[in-house]
PDB file of all heavy atoms in Angstrom:
ATOM      1  N   GLY A  97     -24.259 -25.397  12.068  1.00 96.00           N
ATOM      2  CA  GLY A  97     -25.614 -25.116  11.628  1.00 96.00           C
ATOM      3  C   GLY A  97     -26.525 -26.321  11.782  1.00 96.00           C
ATOM      4  O   GLY A  97     -26.088 -27.474  11.731  1.00 96.00           O
ATOM      5  N   VAL A  98     -27.813 -26.047  11.952  1.00 96.00           N
ATOM      6  CA  VAL A  98     -28.823 -27.098  12.132  1.00 96.00           C
ATOM      7  C   VAL A  98     -29.871 -26.958  11.038  1.00 96.00           C
ATOM      8  O   VAL A  98     -30.698 -26.033  11.065  1.00 96.00           O
ATOM      9  CB  VAL A  98     -29.487 -27.006  13.514  1.00 96.00           C
ATOM     10  CG1 VAL A  98     -30.579 -28.075  13.648  1.00 96.00           C
ATOM     11  CG2 VAL A  98     -28.454 -27.140  14.629  1.00 96.00           C
ATOM     12  N   GLY A  99     -29.822 -27.840  10.052  1.00 94.00           N
ATOM     13  CA  GLY A  99     -30.827 -27.871   8.998  1.00 94.00           C
ATOM     14  C   GLY A  99     -31.106 -26.502   8.417  1.00 94.00           C
ATOM     15  O   GLY A  99     -30.196 -25.762   8.043  1.00 94.00           O
ATOM     16  N   HIS A 100     -32.389 -26.152   8.370  1.00 95.00           N
ATOM     17  CA  HIS A 100     -32.794 -24.841   7.890  1.00 95.00           C
ATOM     18  C   HIS A 100     -33.057 -23.879   9.043  1.00 95.00           C
ATOM     19  O   HIS A 100     -33.704 -22.842   8.846  1.00 95.00           O
ATOM     20  CB  HIS A 100     -34.050 -24.962   7.020  1.00 95.00           C
ATOM     21  CG  HIS A 100     -33.798 -25.633   5.711  1.00 95.00           C
ATOM     22  ND1 HIS A 100     -34.564 -26.685   5.257  1.00 95.00           N
ATOM     23  CD2 HIS A 100     -32.859 -25.419   4.748  1.00 95.00           C
ATOM     24  CE1 HIS A 100     -34.116 -27.083   4.070  1.00 95.00           C
ATOM     25  NE2 HIS A 100     -33.081 -26.330   3.745  1.00 95.00           N
ATOM     26  N   MET A 101     -32.529 -24.208  10.234  1.00 96.00           N
ATOM     27  CA  MET A 101     -32.735 -23.346  11.403  1.00 96.00           C
ATOM     28  C   MET A 101     -31.583 -22.375  11.624  1.00 96.00           C
ATOM     29  O   MET A 101     -31.779 -21.277  12.162  1.00 96.00           O
ATOM     30  CB  MET A 101     -32.914 -24.190  12.670  1.00 96.00           C
ATOM     31  CG  MET A 101     -34.178 -25.006  12.708  1.00 96.00           C
ATOM     32  SD  MET A 101     -34.294 -25.969  14.234  1.00 96.00           S
ATOM     33  CE  MET A 101     -34.482 -24.646  15.444  1.00 96.00           C
ATOM     34  N   SER A 102     -30.372 -22.777  11.263  1.00 97.00           N
ATOM     35  CA  SER A 102     -29.209 -21.929  11.534  1.00 97.00           C
ATOM     36  C   SER A 102     -28.056 -22.343  10.631  1.00 97.00           C
ATOM     37  O   SER A 102     -28.065 -23.434  10.056  1.00 97.00           O
ATOM     38  CB  SER A 102     -28.790 -22.029  13.003  1.00 97.00           C
ATOM     39  OG  SER A 102     -28.397 -23.354  13.334  1.00 97.00           O
ATOM     40  N   LEU A 103     -27.063 -21.465  10.552  1.00 98.00           N
ATOM     41  CA  LEU A 103     -25.881 -21.703   9.737  1.00 98.00           C
ATOM     42  C   LEU A 103     -24.649 -21.878  10.616  1.00 98.00           C
ATOM     43  O   LEU A 103     -24.666 -21.536  11.798  1.00 98.00           O
ATOM     44  CB  LEU A 103     -25.658 -20.518   8.793  1.00 98.00           C
ATOM     45  CG  LEU A 103     -26.757 -20.232   7.770  1.00 98.00           C
ATOM     46  CD1 LEU A 103     -26.436 -18.951   7.007  1.00 98.00           C
ATOM     47  CD2 LEU A 103     -26.920 -21.399   6.799  1.00 98.00           C
ATOM     48  N   ASP A 104     -23.580 -22.395  10.025  1.00 98.00           N
ATOM     49  CA  ASP A 104     -22.307 -22.472  10.738  1.00 98.00           C
ATOM     50  C   ASP A 104     -21.834 -21.064  11.099  1.00 98.00           C
ATOM     51  O   ASP A 104     -22.070 -20.100  10.364  1.00 98.00           O
ATOM     52  CB  ASP A 104     -21.233 -23.124   9.860  1.00 98.00           C
ATOM     53  CG  ASP A 104     -21.498 -24.593   9.572  1.00 98.00           C
ATOM     54  OD1 ASP A 104     -22.386 -25.185  10.225  1.00 98.00           O
ATOM     55  OD2 ASP A 104     -20.817 -25.154   8.691  1.00 98.00           O
ATOM     56  N   GLN A 105     -21.171 -20.962  12.251  1.00 98.00           N
ATOM     57  CA  GLN A 105     -20.595 -19.674  12.646  1.00 98.00           C
ATOM     58  C   GLN A 105     -19.364 -19.899  13.502  1.00 98.00           C
ATOM     59  O   GLN A 105     -19.451 -20.481  14.576  1.00 98.00           O
ATOM     60  CB  GLN A 105     -21.601 -18.829  13.433  1.00 98.00           C
ATOM     61  CG  GLN A 105     -21.075 -17.459  13.853  1.00 98.00           C
ATOM     62  CD  GLN A 105     -20.780 -16.574  12.652  1.00 98.00           C
ATOM     63  OE1 GLN A 105     -21.657 -16.303  11.840  1.00 98.00           O
ATOM     64  NE2 GLN A 105     -19.530 -16.125  12.531  1.00 98.00           N
ATOM     65  N   ASP A 106     -18.215 -19.460  13.023  1.00 98.00           N
ATOM     66  CA  ASP A 106     -16.999 -19.399  13.824  1.00 98.00           C
ATOM     67  C   ASP A 106     -16.912 -17.984  14.369  1.00 98.00           C
ATOM     68  O   ASP A 106     -16.852 -17.009  13.614  1.00 98.00           O
ATOM     69  CB  ASP A 106     -15.777 -19.721  12.956  1.00 98.00           C
ATOM     70  CG  ASP A 106     -14.493 -19.837  13.764  1.00 98.00           C
ATOM     71  OD1 ASP A 106     -14.402 -19.219  14.845  1.00 98.00           O
ATOM     72  OD2 ASP A 106     -13.566 -20.535  13.300  1.00 98.00           O
ATOM     73  N   TRP A 107     -16.878 -17.857  15.700  1.00 98.00           N
ATOM     74  CA  TRP A 107     -16.924 -16.526  16.314  1.00 98.00           C
ATOM     75  C   TRP A 107     -15.549 -15.862  16.389  1.00 98.00           C
ATOM     76  O   TRP A 107     -15.455 -14.686  16.756  1.00 98.00           O
ATOM     77  CB  TRP A 107     -17.559 -16.609  17.697  1.00 98.00           C
ATOM     78  CG  TRP A 107     -19.057 -16.683  17.635  1.00 98.00           C
ATOM     79  CD1 TRP A 107     -19.841 -17.790  17.756  1.00 98.00           C
ATOM     80  CD2 TRP A 107     -19.954 -15.589  17.399  1.00 98.00           C
ATOM     81  NE1 TRP A 107     -21.166 -17.465  17.620  1.00 98.00           N
ATOM     82  CE2 TRP A 107     -21.269 -16.116  17.409  1.00 98.00           C
ATOM     83  CE3 TRP A 107     -19.792 -14.222  17.187  1.00 98.00           C
ATOM     84  CZ2 TRP A 107     -22.396 -15.309  17.208  1.00 98.00           C
ATOM     85  CZ3 TRP A 107     -20.908 -13.427  16.999  1.00 98.00           C
ATOM     86  CH2 TRP A 107     -22.191 -13.968  17.011  1.00 98.00           C
ATOM     87  N   HIS A 108     -14.494 -16.564  16.106  1.00 97.00           N
ATOM     88  CA  HIS A 108     -13.158 -15.975  16.003  1.00 97.00           C
ATOM     89  C   HIS A 108     -12.814 -15.071  17.196  1.00 97.00           C
ATOM     90  O   HIS A 108     -12.371 -13.927  17.029  1.00 97.00           O
ATOM     91  CB  HIS A 108     -13.020 -15.183  14.704  1.00 97.00           C
ATOM     92  CG  HIS A 108     -13.041 -16.047  13.474  1.00 97.00           C
ATOM     93  ND1 HIS A 108     -11.990 -16.874  13.110  1.00 97.00           N
ATOM     94  CD2 HIS A 108     -14.011 -16.231  12.545  1.00 97.00           C
ATOM     95  CE1 HIS A 108     -12.296 -17.516  12.002  1.00 97.00           C
ATOM     96  NE2 HIS A 108     -13.512 -17.154  11.639  1.00 97.00           N
ATOM     97  N   GLY A 109     -13.028 -15.580  18.395  1.00 96.00           N
ATOM     98  CA  GLY A 109     -12.594 -14.851  19.585  1.00 96.00           C
ATOM     99  C   GLY A 109     -13.627 -13.939  20.210  1.00 96.00           C
ATOM    100  O   GLY A 109     -13.398 -13.407  21.308  1.00 96.00           O
ATOM    101  N   ILE A 110     -14.781 -13.719  19.555  1.00 98.00           N
ATOM    102  CA  ILE A 110     -15.860 -12.954  20.184  1.00 98.00           C
ATOM    103  C   ILE A 110     -16.334 -13.740  21.408  1.00 98.00           C
ATOM    104  O   ILE A 110     -16.620 -14.928  21.335  1.00 98.00           O
ATOM    105  CB  ILE A 110     -17.032 -12.743  19.214  1.00 98.00           C
ATOM    106  CG1 ILE A 110     -16.610 -11.879  18.026  1.00 98.00           C
ATOM    107  CG2 ILE A 110     -18.231 -12.133  19.942  1.00 98.00           C
ATOM    108  CD1 ILE A 110     -16.468 -10.414  18.316  1.00 98.00           C
ATOM    109  N   LYS A 111     -16.418 -13.066  22.564  1.00 98.00           N
ATOM    110  CA  LYS A 111     -16.772 -13.762  23.799  1.00 98.00           C
ATOM    111  C   LYS A 111     -18.226 -14.245  23.788  1.00 98.00           C
ATOM    112  O   LYS A 111     -19.052 -13.792  22.999  1.00 98.00           O
ATOM    113  CB  LYS A 111     -16.543 -12.839  24.999  1.00 98.00           C
ATOM    114  CG  LYS A 111     -15.070 -12.564  25.285  1.00 98.00           C
ATOM    115  CD  LYS A 111     -14.912 -11.654  26.495  1.00 98.00           C
ATOM    116  CE  LYS A 111     -13.443 -11.361  26.774  1.00 98.00           C
ATOM    117  NZ  LYS A 111     -13.268 -10.415  27.904  1.00 98.00           N
ATOM    118  N   SER A 112     -18.499 -15.154  24.705  1.00 98.00           N
ATOM    119  CA  SER A 112     -19.815 -15.776  24.812  1.00 98.00           C
ATOM    120  C   SER A 112     -20.791 -14.884  25.574  1.00 98.00           C
ATOM    121  O   SER A 112     -20.402 -13.918  26.243  1.00 98.00           O
ATOM    122  CB  SER A 112     -19.693 -17.121  25.536  1.00 98.00           C
ATOM    123  OG  SER A 112     -19.131 -16.924  26.833  1.00 98.00           O
ATOM    124  N   ALA A 113     -22.076 -15.235  25.480  1.00 98.00           N
ATOM    125  CA  ALA A 113     -23.135 -14.565  26.228  1.00 98.00           C
ATOM    126  C   ALA A 113     -24.078 -15.626  26.785  1.00 98.00           C
ATOM    127  O   ALA A 113     -24.254 -16.694  26.193  1.00 98.00           O
ATOM    128  CB  ALA A 113     -23.897 -13.585  25.343  1.00 98.00           C
ATOM    129  N   PHE A 114     -24.690 -15.329  27.923  1.00 98.00           N
ATOM    130  CA  PHE A 114     -25.622 -16.270  28.541  1.00 98.00           C
ATOM    131  C   PHE A 114     -26.992 -16.225  27.862  1.00 98.00           C
ATOM    132  O   PHE A 114     -27.540 -15.137  27.640  1.00 98.00           O
ATOM    133  CB  PHE A 114     -25.851 -15.916  30.013  1.00 98.00           C
ATOM    134  CG  PHE A 114     -24.846 -16.475  30.969  1.00 98.00           C
ATOM    135  CD1 PHE A 114     -23.928 -15.637  31.586  1.00 98.00           C
ATOM    136  CD2 PHE A 114     -24.828 -17.821  31.280  1.00 98.00           C
ATOM    137  CE1 PHE A 114     -23.013 -16.141  32.493  1.00 98.00           C
ATOM    138  CE2 PHE A 114     -23.919 -18.335  32.184  1.00 98.00           C
ATOM    139  CZ  PHE A 114     -23.001 -17.499  32.793  1.00 98.00           C
ATOM    140  N   PRO A 115     -27.595 -17.375  27.565  1.00 97.00           N
ATOM    141  CA  PRO A 115     -29.024 -17.389  27.285  1.00 97.00           C
ATOM    142  C   PRO A 115     -29.797 -17.192  28.588  1.00 97.00           C
ATOM    143  O   PRO A 115     -29.322 -17.581  29.667  1.00 97.00           O
ATOM    144  CB  PRO A 115     -29.258 -18.790  26.706  1.00 97.00           C
ATOM    145  CG  PRO A 115     -28.175 -19.637  27.296  1.00 97.00           C
ATOM    146  CD  PRO A 115     -26.993 -18.726  27.507  1.00 97.00           C
ATOM    147  N   VAL A 116     -30.958 -16.579  28.490  1.00 97.00           N
ATOM    148  CA  VAL A 116     -31.806 -16.341  29.660  1.00 97.00           C
ATOM    149  C   VAL A 116     -33.129 -17.045  29.424  1.00 97.00           C
ATOM    150  O   VAL A 116     -33.799 -16.803  28.417  1.00 97.00           O
ATOM    151  CB  VAL A 116     -32.048 -14.833  29.879  1.00 97.00           C
ATOM    152  CG1 VAL A 116     -32.950 -14.611  31.092  1.00 97.00           C
ATOM    153  CG2 VAL A 116     -30.722 -14.096  30.050  1.00 97.00           C
ATOM    154  N   SER A 117     -33.507 -17.914  30.345  1.00 95.00           N
ATOM    155  CA  SER A 117     -34.764 -18.648  30.219  1.00 95.00           C
ATOM    156  C   SER A 117     -35.780 -18.043  31.177  1.00 95.00           C
ATOM    157  O   SER A 117     -35.556 -17.983  32.388  1.00 95.00           O
ATOM    158  CB  SER A 117     -34.538 -20.126  30.545  1.00 95.00           C
ATOM    159  OG  SER A 117     -35.721 -20.868  30.349  1.00 95.00           O
ATOM    160  N   SER A 118     -36.907 -17.592  30.625  1.00 91.00           N
ATOM    161  CA  SER A 118     -37.909 -16.930  31.463  1.00 91.00           C
ATOM    162  C   SER A 118     -39.271 -17.043  30.811  1.00 91.00           C
ATOM    163  O   SER A 118     -39.394 -17.257  29.612  1.00 91.00           O
ATOM    164  CB  SER A 118     -37.558 -15.445  31.641  1.00 91.00           C
ATOM    165  OG  SER A 118     -37.661 -14.761  30.406  1.00 91.00           O
ATOM    166  N   GLY A 119     -40.311 -16.886  31.628  1.00 89.00           N
ATOM    167  CA  GLY A 119     -41.664 -16.848  31.104  1.00 89.00           C
ATOM    168  C   GLY A 119     -42.517 -18.018  31.547  1.00 89.00           C
ATOM    169  O   GLY A 119     -42.515 -19.064  30.898  1.00 89.00           O
ATOM    170  N   GLY A 120     -43.219 -17.885  32.658  1.00 90.00           N
ATOM    171  CA  GLY A 120     -44.142 -18.921  33.100  1.00 90.00           C
ATOM    172  C   GLY A 120     -43.497 -20.102  33.789  1.00 90.00           C
ATOM    173  O   GLY A 120     -44.055 -21.205  33.775  1.00 90.00           O
ATOM    174  N   LEU A 121     -42.346 -19.886  34.412  1.00 95.00           N
ATOM    175  CA  LEU A 121     -41.661 -20.992  35.095  1.00 95.00           C
ATOM    176  C   LEU A 121     -42.035 -21.053  36.574  1.00 95.00           C
ATOM    177  O   LEU A 121     -42.406 -20.055  37.184  1.00 95.00           O
ATOM    178  CB  LEU A 121     -40.149 -20.845  34.954  1.00 95.00           C
ATOM    179  CG  LEU A 121     -39.580 -20.922  33.541  1.00 95.00           C
ATOM    180  CD1 LEU A 121     -38.067 -20.764  33.557  1.00 95.00           C
ATOM    181  CD2 LEU A 121     -39.964 -22.242  32.873  1.00 95.00           C
ATOM    182  N   HIS A 122     -41.906 -22.246  37.128  1.00 97.00           N
ATOM    183  CA  HIS A 122     -42.054 -22.474  38.573  1.00 97.00           C
ATOM    184  C   HIS A 122     -41.141 -23.646  38.936  1.00 97.00           C
ATOM    185  O   HIS A 122     -40.555 -24.291  38.039  1.00 97.00           O
ATOM    186  CB  HIS A 122     -43.522 -22.754  38.938  1.00 97.00           C
ATOM    187  CG  HIS A 122     -44.141 -23.905  38.196  1.00 97.00           C
ATOM    188  ND1 HIS A 122     -43.882 -25.226  38.514  1.00 97.00           N
ATOM    189  CD2 HIS A 122     -45.001 -23.945  37.139  1.00 97.00           C
ATOM    190  CE1 HIS A 122     -44.556 -26.022  37.705  1.00 97.00           C
ATOM    191  NE2 HIS A 122     -45.237 -25.265  36.853  1.00 97.00           N
ATOM    192  N   PRO A 123     -40.957 -23.948  40.213  1.00 98.00           N
ATOM    193  CA  PRO A 123     -40.007 -25.001  40.580  1.00 98.00           C
ATOM    194  C   PRO A 123     -40.236 -26.337  39.901  1.00 98.00           C
ATOM    195  O   PRO A 123     -39.280 -27.049  39.570  1.00 98.00           O
ATOM    196  CB  PRO A 123     -40.188 -25.104  42.101  1.00 98.00           C
ATOM    197  CG  PRO A 123     -40.566 -23.712  42.515  1.00 98.00           C
ATOM    198  CD  PRO A 123     -41.459 -23.213  41.406  1.00 98.00           C
ATOM    199  N   GLY A 124     -41.487 -26.680  39.614  1.00 97.00           N
ATOM    200  CA  GLY A 124     -41.771 -27.971  38.986  1.00 97.00           C
ATOM    201  C   GLY A 124     -41.282 -28.085  37.561  1.00 97.00           C
ATOM    202  O   GLY A 124     -41.173 -29.204  37.029  1.00 97.00           O
ATOM    203  N   LEU A 125     -40.976 -26.953  36.920  1.00 96.00           N
ATOM    204  CA  LEU A 125     -40.483 -26.966  35.543  1.00 96.00           C
ATOM    205  C   LEU A 125     -38.978 -26.770  35.440  1.00 96.00           C
ATOM    206  O   LEU A 125     -38.419 -26.878  34.346  1.00 96.00           O
ATOM    207  CB  LEU A 125     -41.191 -25.872  34.728  1.00 96.00           C
ATOM    208  CG  LEU A 125     -42.694 -26.032  34.544  1.00 96.00           C
ATOM    209  CD1 LEU A 125     -43.261 -24.860  33.749  1.00 96.00           C
ATOM    210  CD2 LEU A 125     -43.037 -27.353  33.868  1.00 96.00           C
ATOM    211  N   VAL A 126     -38.317 -26.502  36.547  1.00 97.00           N
ATOM    212  CA  VAL A 126     -36.884 -26.221  36.520  1.00 97.00           C
ATOM    213  C   VAL A 126     -36.073 -27.349  35.885  1.00 97.00           C
ATOM    214  O   VAL A 126     -35.213 -27.097  35.024  1.00 97.00           O
ATOM    215  CB  VAL A 126     -36.371 -25.880  37.936  1.00 97.00           C
ATOM    216  CG1 VAL A 126     -34.841 -25.927  38.007  1.00 97.00           C
ATOM    217  CG2 VAL A 126     -36.874 -24.494  38.346  1.00 97.00           C
ATOM    218  N   PRO A 127     -36.294 -28.622  36.247  1.00 96.00           N
ATOM    219  CA  PRO A 127     -35.503 -29.683  35.607  1.00 96.00           C
ATOM    220  C   PRO A 127     -35.693 -29.748  34.093  1.00 96.00           C
ATOM    221  O   PRO A 127     -34.744 -30.034  33.356  1.00 96.00           O
ATOM    222  CB  PRO A 127     -36.006 -30.964  36.284  1.00 96.00           C
ATOM    223  CG  PRO A 127     -36.528 -30.512  37.603  1.00 96.00           C
ATOM    224  CD  PRO A 127     -37.144 -29.176  37.324  1.00 96.00           C
ATOM    225  N   ASP A 128     -36.915 -29.473  33.612  1.00 95.00           N
ATOM    226  CA  ASP A 128     -37.160 -29.493  32.169  1.00 95.00           C
ATOM    227  C   ASP A 128     -36.317 -28.440  31.467  1.00 95.00           C
ATOM    228  O   ASP A 128     -35.744 -28.691  30.398  1.00 95.00           O
ATOM    229  CB  ASP A 128     -38.637 -29.228  31.883  1.00 95.00           C
ATOM    230  CG  ASP A 128     -39.544 -30.345  32.375  1.00 95.00           C
ATOM    231  OD1 ASP A 128     -39.074 -31.488  32.449  1.00 95.00           O
ATOM    232  OD2 ASP A 128     -40.713 -30.070  32.677  1.00 95.00           O
ATOM    233  N   VAL A 129     -36.232 -27.252  32.055  1.00 96.00           N
ATOM    234  CA  VAL A 129     -35.434 -26.182  31.461  1.00 96.00           C
ATOM    235  C   VAL A 129     -33.957 -26.548  31.479  1.00 96.00           C
ATOM    236  O   VAL A 129     -33.232 -26.354  30.494  1.00 96.00           O
ATOM    237  CB  VAL A 129     -35.671 -24.855  32.200  1.00 96.00           C
ATOM    238  CG1 VAL A 129     -34.737 -23.765  31.672  1.00 96.00           C
ATOM    239  CG2 VAL A 129     -37.121 -24.409  32.056  1.00 96.00           C
ATOM    240  N   LEU A 130     -33.482 -27.093  32.590  1.00 96.00           N
ATOM    241  CA  LEU A 130     -32.059 -27.431  32.703  1.00 96.00           C
ATOM    242  C   LEU A 130     -31.687 -28.601  31.792  1.00 96.00           C
ATOM    243  O   LEU A 130     -30.550 -28.675  31.307  1.00 96.00           O
ATOM    244  CB  LEU A 130     -31.706 -27.744  34.153  1.00 96.00           C
ATOM    245  CG  LEU A 130     -31.904 -26.578  35.137  1.00 96.00           C
ATOM    246  CD1 LEU A 130     -31.466 -26.983  36.545  1.00 96.00           C
ATOM    247  CD2 LEU A 130     -31.142 -25.348  34.694  1.00 96.00           C
ATOM    248  N   ASP A 131     -32.634 -29.495  31.533  1.00 95.00           N
ATOM    249  CA  ASP A 131     -32.378 -30.569  30.565  1.00 95.00           C
ATOM    250  C   ASP A 131     -32.109 -29.987  29.178  1.00 95.00           C
ATOM    251  O   ASP A 131     -31.323 -30.533  28.400  1.00 95.00           O
ATOM    252  CB  ASP A 131     -33.569 -31.523  30.486  1.00 95.00           C
ATOM    253  CG  ASP A 131     -33.642 -32.482  31.667  1.00 95.00           C
ATOM    254  OD1 ASP A 131     -32.632 -32.633  32.382  1.00 95.00           O
ATOM    255  OD2 ASP A 131     -34.729 -33.065  31.879  1.00 95.00           O
ATOM    256  N   ILE A 132     -32.763 -28.887  28.848  1.00 95.00           N
ATOM    257  CA  ILE A 132     -32.596 -28.247  27.542  1.00 95.00           C
ATOM    258  C   ILE A 132     -31.301 -27.455  27.488  1.00 95.00           C
ATOM    259  O   ILE A 132     -30.509 -27.577  26.549  1.00 95.00           O
ATOM    260  CB  ILE A 132     -33.796 -27.333  27.240  1.00 95.00           C
ATOM    261  CG1 ILE A 132     -35.071 -28.166  27.084  1.00 95.00           C
ATOM    262  CG2 ILE A 132     -33.537 -26.491  25.983  1.00 95.00           C
ATOM    263  CD1 ILE A 132     -36.348 -27.340  27.059  1.00 95.00           C
ATOM    264  N   TYR A 133     -31.058 -26.635  28.498  1.00 96.00           N
ATOM    265  CA  TYR A 133     -29.970 -25.659  28.456  1.00 96.00           C
ATOM    266  C   TYR A 133     -28.675 -26.112  29.131  1.00 96.00           C
ATOM    267  O   TYR A 133     -27.604 -25.583  28.829  1.00 96.00           O
ATOM    268  CB  TYR A 133     -30.404 -24.365  29.139  1.00 96.00           C
ATOM    269  CG  TYR A 133     -31.298 -23.470  28.327  1.00 96.00           C
ATOM    270  CD1 TYR A 133     -32.676 -23.466  28.520  1.00 96.00           C
ATOM    271  CD2 TYR A 133     -30.769 -22.601  27.383  1.00 96.00           C
ATOM    272  CE1 TYR A 133     -33.502 -22.616  27.792  1.00 96.00           C
ATOM    273  CE2 TYR A 133     -31.584 -21.746  26.653  1.00 96.00           C
ATOM    274  CZ  TYR A 133     -32.942 -21.752  26.865  1.00 96.00           C
ATOM    275  OH  TYR A 133     -33.747 -20.914  26.145  1.00 96.00           O
ATOM    276  N   GLY A 134     -28.766 -27.037  30.095  1.00 97.00           N
ATOM    277  CA  GLY A 134     -27.604 -27.273  30.936  1.00 97.00           C
ATOM    278  C   GLY A 134     -27.498 -26.175  31.979  1.00 97.00           C
ATOM    279  O   GLY A 134     -28.445 -25.436  32.229  1.00 97.00           O
ATOM    280  N   GLU A 135     -26.323 -26.032  32.574  1.00 97.00           N
ATOM    281  CA  GLU A 135     -26.184 -25.095  33.693  1.00 97.00           C
ATOM    282  C   GLU A 135     -25.696 -23.714  33.285  1.00 97.00           C
ATOM    283  O   GLU A 135     -25.692 -22.794  34.106  1.00 97.00           O
ATOM    284  CB  GLU A 135     -25.238 -25.663  34.749  1.00 97.00           C
ATOM    285  CG  GLU A 135     -23.819 -25.866  34.277  1.00 97.00           C
ATOM    286  CD  GLU A 135     -22.942 -26.538  35.331  1.00 97.00           C
ATOM    287  OE1 GLU A 135     -23.479 -27.251  36.204  1.00 97.00           O
ATOM    288  OE2 GLU A 135     -21.713 -26.338  35.290  1.00 97.00           O
ATOM    289  N   ASP A 136     -25.286 -23.546  32.027  1.00 98.00           N
ATOM    290  CA  ASP A 136     -24.801 -22.239  31.590  1.00 98.00           C
ATOM    291  C   ASP A 136     -25.955 -21.391  31.059  1.00 98.00           C
ATOM    292  O   ASP A 136     -26.174 -21.249  29.847  1.00 98.00           O
ATOM    293  CB  ASP A 136     -23.712 -22.392  30.519  1.00 98.00           C
ATOM    294  CG  ASP A 136     -22.349 -22.667  31.119  1.00 98.00           C
ATOM    295  OD1 ASP A 136     -22.090 -22.197  32.236  1.00 98.00           O
ATOM    296  OD2 ASP A 136     -21.550 -23.358  30.473  1.00 98.00           O
ATOM    297  N   LEU A 137     -26.726 -20.858  31.980  1.00 97.00           N
ATOM    298  CA  LEU A 137     -27.833 -19.986  31.622  1.00 97.00           C
ATOM    299  C   LEU A 137     -28.189 -19.111  32.811  1.00 97.00           C
ATOM    300  O   LEU A 137     -27.736 -19.360  33.939  1.00 97.00           O
ATOM    301  CB  LEU A 137     -29.070 -20.774  31.194  1.00 97.00           C
ATOM    302  CG  LEU A 137     -30.002 -21.309  32.287  1.00 97.00           C
ATOM    303  CD1 LEU A 137     -31.400 -21.542  31.731  1.00 97.00           C
ATOM    304  CD2 LEU A 137     -29.456 -22.596  32.892  1.00 97.00           C
ATOM    305  N   VAL A 138     -28.998 -18.100  32.553  1.00 98.00           N
ATOM    306  CA  VAL A 138     -29.636 -17.322  33.606  1.00 98.00           C
ATOM    307  C   VAL A 138     -31.077 -17.804  33.682  1.00 98.00           C
ATOM    308  O   VAL A 138     -31.826 -17.713  32.712  1.00 98.00           O
ATOM    309  CB  VAL A 138     -29.578 -15.811  33.319  1.00 98.00           C
ATOM    310  CG1 VAL A 138     -30.273 -15.038  34.437  1.00 98.00           C
ATOM    311  CG2 VAL A 138     -28.142 -15.341  33.152  1.00 98.00           C
ATOM    312  N   LEU A 139     -31.449 -18.340  34.824  1.00 97.00           N
ATOM    313  CA  LEU A 139     -32.770 -18.928  35.033  1.00 97.00           C
ATOM    314  C   LEU A 139     -33.632 -17.933  35.801  1.00 97.00           C
ATOM    315  O   LEU A 139     -33.350 -17.626  36.961  1.00 97.00           O
ATOM    316  CB  LEU A 139     -32.644 -20.244  35.802  1.00 97.00           C
ATOM    317  CG  LEU A 139     -33.931 -20.996  36.119  1.00 97.00           C
ATOM    318  CD1 LEU A 139     -34.597 -21.484  34.835  1.00 97.00           C
ATOM    319  CD2 LEU A 139     -33.647 -22.169  37.051  1.00 97.00           C
ATOM    320  N   LEU A 140     -34.679 -17.430  35.151  1.00 97.00           N
ATOM    321  CA  LEU A 140     -35.576 -16.472  35.792  1.00 97.00           C
ATOM    322  C   LEU A 140     -36.894 -17.163  36.138  1.00 97.00           C
ATOM    323  O   LEU A 140     -37.609 -17.627  35.250  1.00 97.00           O
ATOM    324  CB  LEU A 140     -35.851 -15.286  34.868  1.00 97.00           C
ATOM    325  CG  LEU A 140     -34.651 -14.428  34.452  1.00 97.00           C
ATOM    326  CD1 LEU A 140     -35.123 -13.264  33.575  1.00 97.00           C
ATOM    327  CD2 LEU A 140     -33.898 -13.898  35.669  1.00 97.00           C
ATOM    328  N   VAL A 141     -37.181 -17.240  37.418  1.00 97.00           N
ATOM    329  CA  VAL A 141     -38.443 -17.813  37.907  1.00 97.00           C
ATOM    330  C   VAL A 141     -39.100 -16.728  38.744  1.00 97.00           C
ATOM    331  O   VAL A 141     -38.622 -16.412  39.832  1.00 97.00           O
ATOM    332  CB  VAL A 141     -38.207 -19.083  38.745  1.00 97.00           C
ATOM    333  CG1 VAL A 141     -39.539 -19.749  39.081  1.00 97.00           C
ATOM    334  CG2 VAL A 141     -37.298 -20.064  38.018  1.00 97.00           C
TER     335      VAL A 141
END
């Protein structure tokens, strides 16, 4: 958990899901998005 933003969660074997980043992106913003998310995401441009 992070402060008052979220709580601890053990998923106990529930599989993962991809975050999807979208909305007003273009090539010049791609590095900024990847700095936040890393490579495990769906990037919609």
Side-chain angles (χ1 to χ4, degrees):
V98 177
H100 290 129
M101 293 180 67
S102 62
L103 298 175
D104 293 348
Q105 181 64 58
D106 187 334
W107 281 100
H108 292 288
I110 295 285
K111 290 181 181 177
S112 59
F114 275 109
V116 179
S117 184
S118 66
L121 297 180
H122 56 77
L125 296 179
V126 166
D128 293 333
V129 174
L130 298 182
D131 283 344
I132 294 168
Y133 282 99
E135 63 185 25
D136 278 329
L137 83 157
V138 179
L139 180 65
L140 298 182
V141 187

